[in-house]
Each structure stands twice: as structure tokens, then as C-alpha cells.
Amino acid sequence: MALVRILAALSVAAAIPGLTPVQALAQQRTAAASAAFPLVEAGVAPTIFVSAGDAPVVEIAARAFAGDVERVSGVRPDVSQAAPEGRLAILAGTIGGSPLIDRLIAEGRLTVDAVKGQSEAYTIAVVDKPSPGVARALVVAGAHRRGTAYGIFRLSEQIGVSPWIWWAEAAPDRRSTLTLDAGTIVQGSPSVRYRGIFLNDEDWSLRPWATANDPSGDIGPATHARIFELLLRLRANFLWPAMHKVTSAFNQVQGNAEMADRYAIVMGASHAEPMLRNNVAEWNFEQRGEFNYAKNRLNIVQYWRDRVRANHQYENVYTVGMRGIHDSPAEMNRGSDGVRLLEQVVTDQRELLKEVGKDPAAVPQVFVPYKEVLDIYRKGMTVPDDVTLGWVDDNYGYIRQLSTKAEQKRSGGAGVYYHISYWGVPNDYLWLDSTPPALIGEEMGKAFATNARRLWVLNVGGLKPGEKGLNYFMDLAYDYEGTSKLGQRGWLRRWAETTFGPEQADAIAALLGDYYRLNFARKPEHMGWNTAETAPRPTEFSPVAYGDEAGIRAAEFRALDERAEAIAAKLPAEKREGFYHLILYPVRGSALMNAKMLSADRSFLYAHQGRASANLYADAAAEAYRGIKKATAVYNATGDGKWAQFMHDEPRYQSVFNMPPVSRVTPLGEPGLGVVVEGAIDAWTQRPAKVFGA
């Protein structure tokens, strides 16, 4: 079969042995038999066949794909573990785990040399007469269980299904006839080995929503199943689970660990949670004593030992090292003694892996030098060569340190823990996702260039509304070369077309470009520039200087909201809820936050100048405050109430989210004259109006 085109979405070299994972990402060849494989025709779809002994994720992905076909066409294919039958069939399985696939390989009907042995690789091909009675079959063969799942979800992409079909109401176009490209696809290993998210600061979104919707009353197996499916659709493979006080520890909820294994998701725990433990929920001071390694080593080691024994049979990446309870410094992490003691911690943790029969050098581990741990590492701490160094950004998107030339040679390589959501000083940003893809791309490009390619994990807060940042981050991690070449505008356009169709893709990309530009100057959560304990300050956007800087900003945001409304009106009705979740709500929320704070600022200036219009701006601030509440209520009512309690517009109840102080005046009872020089703060008036309110 001759090479005819390279998929535009991947645009890299053909996957053949000897090439790097980045080079070996995608190729497409012509199938000699036909140019298309009929998926739905005349109301009929071929059965999807999987093997009973294959990994559970294969059937899970197959059933999800069947649901996607039904969403698009109204016809749901059957999924069966029986022997293939019917004129047409879809066969999906893992090399070495599926008798269906292994037989085709043994008979020379399916070539897998280009993917066999590669991490998470797969091939998709059409095979004639794969079994008695079956004329043609579309075959998805994965070199690894996740590779098979990725291949199946590749078919979902081909029929126009967004990864956000469930999590953001991203409805696909409806069509009664569906065909799949019959060209052979060879997909090599991802650019980054472990690619995942950290569910964090879930108190105001994911946790209350899961409480109302998960049978466990917590972030339990049902919720995690939805999260894991999303990760697979985004071609991710890794999770640091939620760990705040409001949430039970991942391994305390029955079925969570088993569900992760069924979905082939690799589990870890955050930078502050060594050895798959959740210290906030699982460390009991009364029973176990002080969480201090120098004083209570035996109890702490036993605490870790219990988790390793319980979970070692699953795929894990163990966080090694130690911090205090809930993202706090450990008492021992001070001075040169802290260096030696932290080295001993890592040594003891690796001994626990030996106790369950594993070679520590072969078990994935990550050491995350976050906050005070970075200072300890810089003092000369030695980390075993096979342990991944997990570099961290400054919580606002700028990576603090990357590997030196010597560190780049480590067998464990390096990775990055990156934030698009953050709780902490000097300012939170937990409400809207406003980190530009351009910044993510620039910083992760530095990481990739310095060989930080082993593990990328993204802090997404409560998951929504970080959809776009998450999607871009995972696209980079899966196919760095192809994604980075697109740039921000190119990626936004591709994402918009995939999610909402080609007609409005350019307009959506331009809209989002301006959204990120405006919010990059000051995030919505930072418009008050306050801490949790202090009241908001004036915004620092001047209503008099630079040609009325504040007024220009407010006008740009108003125009942004109007553009978003205009695009929504042009979309098919079934796509508008997804557009509201993914675009209109973040645009409107940031526009209204700016209107609220900037109008409040102007009310004080105009009251000082004795203008009666101060009252209009005080009213405008109140209207914007109410508008945010209304917009959030609309968000939570979408999907026939499916998202009730998910969106919260006051995370941590910081004062920036409150109605800000405003100033008003009592207008004079008769006309008067006042003069203000353009750009001046003070005014000349015959008789000043009475100022009140604050």
C-alpha cells in the first residue's frame, strides 16, 4: 500500500522502528480494496467485536464509540465478544491480548511491525475476509491496552465527535450515513510518556457536583469513570486525584482504584502526597502520631508500606520525597540536615517497592521540587538517577527551573507540574481558565527542549472550566511537534472547527485570542488584587490616563461579549449549550467582572468630581454583579440540570467576587456648571454635589 498523505492533525514522519517517538507519530496509506468503510448505511451499523480476555478498557472504549455513533447517526452498533460475523465488522484488540488480532497477525493479514513494542501505539487498517462469512473488517490493533483505546477514539474523531461530548455538551453534527477512512493509519508513541491532570481545589465545583450525582456521595467510581473516559479521549493516561479536606481520599472510596485500572489510567498522588497517600484524609494524628520523619519514622514508613502493598499491582507513578500535611512544608525540610533526611526518606520509600518484589529502578517515580523542596534540592540533595525530576512553574505559568545538561542525561528524565488553576498567595485564580495557550506552549516548549518528556501533569482545579487549556496541554504532550507548529491561533482554529464546525471556526479563534489577550493583562480573579483577608484595591486601570485606559478595557470586554453572542446565534441550536460552557460563559464572566470593578472605580472618581453620573456607574457595578450570578445560573441549568452545582462564581469566597464598594452623589436641585480637564482627577464646580456611599 502506497503512502498518499500524512494526517494534517499530526504532520510528522512515518512510524517505523528506529525513529524517535516524536518523529514516529502518524502516517496514512491507501487501502487497496476501497476508499471508505461504511459505518452507518441504510440504518445499519457493523458490530464491534472485542476479545473476552483483552483488557477491560478495550470494551469500555468500544462501547463509548458505539454511543458516539448513535449520537451522530441515531444507530447504535452492537459490541460483542462472540466470533465475528456479518458482511462487515469492526475488530478491536491489543496485540498479545486479543486472539482476534493475534490471528490476523499470524496469518499475515495485518502488519503491525511499525507499532509493535511501542508505548501506546496503534494501527488502523481494513482487512478483507478476516474470518469466515465476514467480507471486510476495519481493524484497530493497539500495541498496548491504551493504544487500542486511543485507536478506537480516533474513529470517534473521524465521525466528528469532540472529546468534550459529555463534559461540555459539545454536540456533534447529525448525519444518517457515516463512512470511515479506509486508509491504514500507523500511530507511534506519544511525545511525553505520562500525560495527565491534577484535580485540585475541588471544593466549589467538582466536589459538590459529585456529591449530588455520584452514588458514593463523593468523587467516587462513577465520577472517575467519566473523568477517565475524558482522559482517554484526550489521549492522556495519568491522574493525581483530588485531595482536599472536603473529599475522601481516592483509595478510601471503594472501587476507585479498580475503576482506574479498568480504564487503564496510571495513578499517582500530588507533589505533597508520597507513595499514593492522601495525608489530609488518611493521616490520623491520634493513632499515628506526629507527621515528622525525624521523630516518627517507623509509623510513617508503615503508613506508606500499607498503601504500596494494597496498590502495587496497578500501574502507578509514585511520588517520592516528603512535604507536610496539605501542601505545607515538612518540619524536617530545613537546613543541611533536611537534605540528608529527605535523601533517607527517598531511600526508605524505594525499599518499600523491593518489599513487594519490584525493582525500584524499574518502577516509575517522580520527585517534585515544589516550593521549599526546590530549595532543599538546590542545596545538593541527591535523587536516584532513575527517578523523574518533576519541575514546577511559579503557580502562574512560568517554569522556575529546568534540567541542566547533566540532569538531562538522567535515566529517569524529567517532567513538569504546571498550573492553569491556583489556590494561594499572592492571588488565587480558581474561577475561569485564562492562561493563554501561547504561554503554555512557550513554557512547555522549553521543557520539551531540555528533555523534560517523562511526565507532564496539569493542575486543572475542578476540571471545568479549564477545558481549552487542558485540551491544548494534552495535544502538546501527545504530539508536541505537530501541535507546537500550529501556534495559538492555529490550534484555537482547529479546536473550534473540531468542536463547533468549520463555519464559525475563524470567528471563534479570533474571539478567544482577544479573550486571552485581555485576561493576560489582568485575570478576572485579580481585578481586585486582594488576598483572602483584605478588601479589593482599585483596579489600577486608570479612568483618566492613557486616553481612559479603564474605559477602553471595559469597551473591549463589552464588544467581546457581543461577538460571542453573535457567534452563538449563528450556531445550530444543539451546539449552543456547548458554546455557552466552553466560550460564552468565560467571556461573559470576565467581561462582567471587569464591568463590575471598573464601574465601581469610576463611581468614586465621578463622585469626587461632583458628577451625577457617578450614580449611573454605581448602578452599572451592581448590574454587573447580578449579571455574573445570572450567567452562572444559566450555566448550571444546562443539560437539563445536569450541571447543577458545578459552576461557582465565588471560589474561596474572596472579596473580589463580592459587590464592590461604590460611591454616589445627591444631585443638586437646580442646574449647575462643572468643568473637568481631560485627563484630570479634580473638577471645578459652582456648587459640589453631596457625596455619599462607599
Side-chain angles (χ1 to χ4, degrees):
M1 291 180 283
L3 177 67
V4 294
R5 67 183 177 92
I6 298 177
L7 293 177
L10 298 173
S11 62
V12 287
I16 57 176
L19 295 183
T20 67
V22 175
Q23 294 170 319
L25 272 172
Q27 68 176 4
Q28 187 161 329
R29 299 188 179 95
T30 311
S34 173
F37 183 86
L39 180 58
V40 176
E41 198 171 48
V44 177
T47 298
I48 306 167
F49 292 95
V50 299
S51 294
D54 209 339
V57 72
V58 175
E59 184 168 346
I60 287 171
R63 293 192 180 280
F65 172 62
D68 292 344
V69 174
E70 184 177 28
R71 284 287 298 272
V72 174
S73 68
V75 178
R76 188 181 188 94
D78 291 331
V79 178
S80 174
Q81 294 182 356
E85 58 182 2
R87 185 178 66 86
L88 299 174
I90 297 175
L91 313 181
T94 308
I95 299 168
S98 166
L100 284 174
I101 301 302
D102 291 346
R103 180 176 57 79
L104 293 176
I105 296 170
E107 293 174 355
R109 294 174 174 273
L110 181 66
T111 301
V112 297
D113 292 344
V115 299
K116 190 174 182 180
Q118 288 199 54
S119 172
E120 302 180 340
Y122 63 85
T123 187
I124 302 175
V126 171
V127 176
D128 291 328
K129 299 179 181 178
S131 60
V134 180
R136 296 175 72 215
L138 184 72
V139 180
V140 179
H144 179 277
R145 58 180 181 159
R146 280 188 295 278
T148 309
Y150 297 155
I152 293 169
F153 284 123
R154 178 74 164 270
L155 304 181
S156 292
E157 293 175 2
Q158 287 189 3
I159 64 173
V161 174
S162 164
W164 300 101
I165 185 172
W166 193 87
W167 275 101
E169 305 298 322
D173 291 331
R174 295 294 298 266
R175 304 192 301 280
S176 59
T177 300
L178 295 177
T179 58
L180 293 170
D181 195 333
T184 298
I185 297 172
V186 177
Q187 176 66 54
S189 296
S191 301
V192 176
R193 178 69 183 89
Y194 298 105
R195 312 166 305 282
I197 61 174
F198 178 21
L199 295 172
N200 195 213
D201 310 325
E202 69 277 9
D203 309 44
W204 300 273
S205 54
L206 183 61
R207 177 61 172 85
W209 178 82
T211 300
N213 290 277
D214 194 294
S216 71
D218 211 317
I219 304 178
T223 301
H224 278 111
R226 291 291 187 182
I227 294 168
F228 296 152
E229 181 182 316
L230 173 65
L231 293 179
L232 292 175
R233 289 180 181 272
L234 293 171
R235 298 167 300 187
N237 62 8
F238 182 66
L239 177 68
W240 282 355
M243 44 70 74
H244 273 211
K245 291 181 180 180
V246 297
T247 305
S248 298
F250 178 83
N251 288 294
Q252 283 182 328
V253 180
Q254 185 175 2
N256 273 349
E258 293 79 7
M259 189 64 74
D261 187 54
R262 285 180 55 79
Y263 276 80
I265 298 300
V266 183
M267 290 304 303
S270 81
H271 59 88
E273 312 291 340
M275 307 307 287
L276 305 181
R277 278 294 193 177
N278 178 327
N279 300 327
V280 174
E282 295 183 309
W283 182 263
N284 186 306
F285 285 91
E286 292 184 2
Q287 296 177 1
R288 300 182 187 273
E290 188 177 355
F291 196 68
N292 185 315
Y293 210 72
K295 299 178 180 179
N296 197 18
R297 174 176 173 269
L298 293 180
N299 279 334
I300 293 174
V301 168
Q302 186 60 47
Y303 169 68
W304 290 333
R305 178 181 289 116
D306 292 343
R307 176 61 60 228
V308 172
R309 287 177 175 175
N311 289 61
H312 73 272
Q313 72 271 29
Y314 303 125
E315 271 193 278
N316 304 304
V317 175
Y318 293 89
T319 298
V320 296
M322 186 176 181
R323 298 191 68 218
I325 300 292
H326 199 179
D327 197 10
S328 62
E331 285 300 317
M332 66 179 191
N333 291 347
R334 304 179 189 278
S336 59
D337 290 341
V339 173
R340 304 285 81 82
L341 196 53
L342 199 54
E343 288 176 344
Q344 184 61 50
V345 167
V346 175
T347 298
D348 290 346
Q349 289 167 337
R350 288 163 66 84
E351 286 297 317
L352 298 177
L353 300 175
K354 290 182 182 179
E355 290 180 7
V356 295
K358 295 183 180 293
D359 176 7
V363 176
Q365 299 151 67
V366 61
F367 175 80
V368 185
Y370 185 51
K371 294 188 177 179
E372 81 287 346
V373 180
L374 178 58
D375 296 330
I376 294 174
Y377 179 77
R378 287 171 171 172
K379 289 176 181 177
M381 178 185 174
T382 299
V383 177
D385 192 70
D386 57 85
V387 174
T388 300
L389 296 176
W391 303 117
V392 185
D393 70 320
D394 63 353
N395 304 314
Y396 297 94
Y398 295 90
I399 299 174
R400 296 186 64 190
Q401 180 169 321
L402 287 165
S403 299
T404 63
K405 289 184 178 180
E407 289 166 335
Q408 290 176 39
K409 298 177 182 179
R410 294 169 52 86
S411 62
V416 175
Y417 166 44
Y418 194 86
H419 292 78
I420 62 169
S421 175
Y422 175 63
W423 167 340
V425 296
N427 285 98
D428 297 355
Y429 56 104
L430 301 172
W431 178 33
L432 301 178
D433 173 24
S434 56
T435 302
L439 176 60
I440 299 172
E442 179 178 329
E443 292 298 300
M444 299 313 295
K446 297 173 187 176
F448 196 80
T450 53
N451 203 32
R453 307 179 186 182
R454 182 61 60 89
L455 181 150
W456 287 10
V457 60
L458 184 70
N459 188 321
V460 294
L463 186 63
K464 295 169 65 64
E467 299 98 339
K468 297 178 292 298
L470 167 56
N471 209 147
Y472 179 70
F473 188 89
M474 291 308 162
D475 281 359
L476 273 178
Y478 189 75
D479 172 20
Y480 178 79
E481 297 292 344
T483 303
S484 61
K485 289 176 182 177
L486 293 173
Q488 175 173 288
R489 180 62 180 266
W491 183 85
L492 287 172
R493 196 208 175 281
R494 187 180 75 176
W495 176 85
E497 181 173 358
T498 300
T499 310
F500 300 107
E503 292 80 6
Q504 298 300 317
D506 284 323
I508 291 171
L511 174 79
L512 289 174
D514 287 336
Y515 165 83
Y516 287 117
R517 173 179 59 82
L518 288 168
N519 283 319
F520 186 66
R522 185 63 55 87
K523 290 179 179 293
E525 300 91 337
H526 297 173
M527 285 299 292
W529 212 245
N530 60 289
T531 68
E533 294 78 26
T534 62
R537 301 202 311 249
T539 64
E540 298 176 357
F541 290 101
S542 175
V544 293
Y546 312 111
D548 189 357
E549 178 186 42
I552 293 170
R553 180 173 175 84
E556 284 194 281
F557 266 116
R558 284 196 301 273
L560 202 68
D561 185 85
E562 291 168 1
R563 287 163 59 190
E565 275 282 14
I567 294 170
K570 295 175 183 177
L571 291 174
E574 63 272 15
K575 293 185 180 290
R576 290 175 189 166
E577 284 196 338
F579 186 80
Y580 192 88
H581 269 232
L582 293 167
I583 296 174
L584 185 50
Y585 180 80
V587 166
R588 180 155 295 165
S590 55
L592 289 170
M593 175 63 87
N594 277 265
K596 181 184 78 171
M597 301 302 290
L598 295 172
S599 295
D601 283 359
R602 195 175 293 269
S603 76
F604 281 96
L605 172 66
Y606 282 10
H608 170 74
Q609 294 173 343
R611 300 193 195 198
S613 57
N615 297 348
L616 298 179
Y617 284 96
D619 291 342
E623 184 179 359
Y625 171 77
R626 292 191 296 269
I628 293 172
K629 301 300 178 187
K630 181 179 178 181
T632 301
V634 171
Y635 185 108
N636 287 330
T638 55
D640 293 326
K642 169 181 168 183
W643 298 108
Q645 301 184 60
F646 202 102
M647 180 51 63
H648 194 293
D649 52 43
E650 297 182 72
R652 278 236 281 169
Y653 301 101
Q654 292 207 335
S655 54
V656 69
F657 299 115
N658 298 338
M659 175 60 200
V662 295
S663 189
R664 296 178 179 272
V665 302
T666 301
L668 299 174
E670 56 188 51
L673 176 65
V675 177
V676 178
V677 177
E678 184 71 25
I681 294 175
D682 295 324
W684 176 86
T685 60
Q686 286 180 316
R687 290 190 301 163
K690 182 180 179 182
V691 178
F692 68 97

